[in-house]
């Protein structure tokens, strides 16, 4: 009976560790998702075109088509999307009137991000 209690305790410890690991993973996903949503909000405020945003999203999905071994695919996609959006945000760090002009939105650098 004592051996059975020890085994049950070990099983419960492993389950607790798995739950903690999952909690940490979900916390990382939540943080990354919040970062992505903030970048999207900033780009929306800069009046970036839907076409440019679509290209960024398609580029992200294309680069994450083959998941890297050992890395969670969801976190990889969010990570890549955050990097691509941040790159675009950096390209738009200019006076607001320039960022809203059609010329700056059709800049080839914006599309390539």
């Amino acid at each position: 009976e004592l051996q059975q209690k020890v085994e049950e305790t070990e099983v419960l410890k492993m389950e607790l560790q798995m739950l903690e690991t999952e909690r940490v993973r979900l916390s990382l996903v939540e943080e990354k998702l919040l970062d992505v949503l903030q970048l999207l909000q900033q780009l929306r405020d800069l009046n970036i075109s839907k076409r440019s945003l679509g290209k960024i999203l398609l580029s992200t999905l294309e680069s994450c088509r083959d998941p890297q071994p050992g890395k969670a695919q969801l976190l990889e996609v969010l990570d890549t999307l955050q990097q691509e959006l941040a790159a675009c945000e950096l390209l738009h760090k200019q006076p607001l009137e320039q960022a809203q002009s059609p010329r700056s939105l059709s800049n080839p650098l914006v599309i390539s991000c």
Side-chain angles (χ1 to χ4, degrees):
E1 188 175 317
L2 184 57
Q3 180 64 25
Q4 185 180 2
K5 292 289 184 188
V6 168
E7 289 173 4
E8 287 176 6
T9 303
E10 289 301 316
V11 168
L12 287 173
K13 283 181 181 178
M14 287 191 321
E15 287 179 1
L16 183 61
Q17 187 176 12
M18 288 176 13
L19 285 172
E20 181 63 21
T21 301
E22 184 65 11
R23 186 193 66 77
V24 169
R25 188 189 72 77
L26 288 173
S27 179
L28 290 172
V29 168
E30 180 184 25
E31 287 177 25
K32 193 62 67 175
L33 189 55
L34 285 174
D35 290 344
V36 166
L37 291 173
Q38 286 176 333
L39 288 169
L40 285 170
Q41 179 71 39
Q42 290 172 1
L43 288 173
R44 188 189 75 173
D45 292 344
L46 292 171
N47 293 327
I48 190 169
S49 72
K50 291 178 183 178
R51 183 181 183 131
S52 295
L53 284 175
K55 287 183 179 190
I56 293 168
L57 181 58
L58 289 175
S59 170
T60 298
L61 294 175
E62 182 66 30
S63 68
C64 295
R65 178 181 288 183
D66 300 320
Q68 297 176 1
K71 190 170 185 183
Q73 188 173 8
L74 175 63
L75 196 53
E76 180 183 354
V77 171
L78 284 174
D79 217 13
T80 304
L81 182 57
Q82 180 197 18
Q83 290 169 7
E84 295 215 15
L85 290 171
C88 288
E89 179 194 19
L90 293 174
L91 291 173
H92 286 89
K93 288 209 180 231
Q94 48 188 296
L96 189 58
E97 58 274 2
Q98 286 179 350
Q100 291 179 341
S101 74
R103 194 175 132 243
S104 69
L105 290 177
S106 64
N107 183 339
L109 293 176
V110 174
I111 294 172
S112 69
C113 69

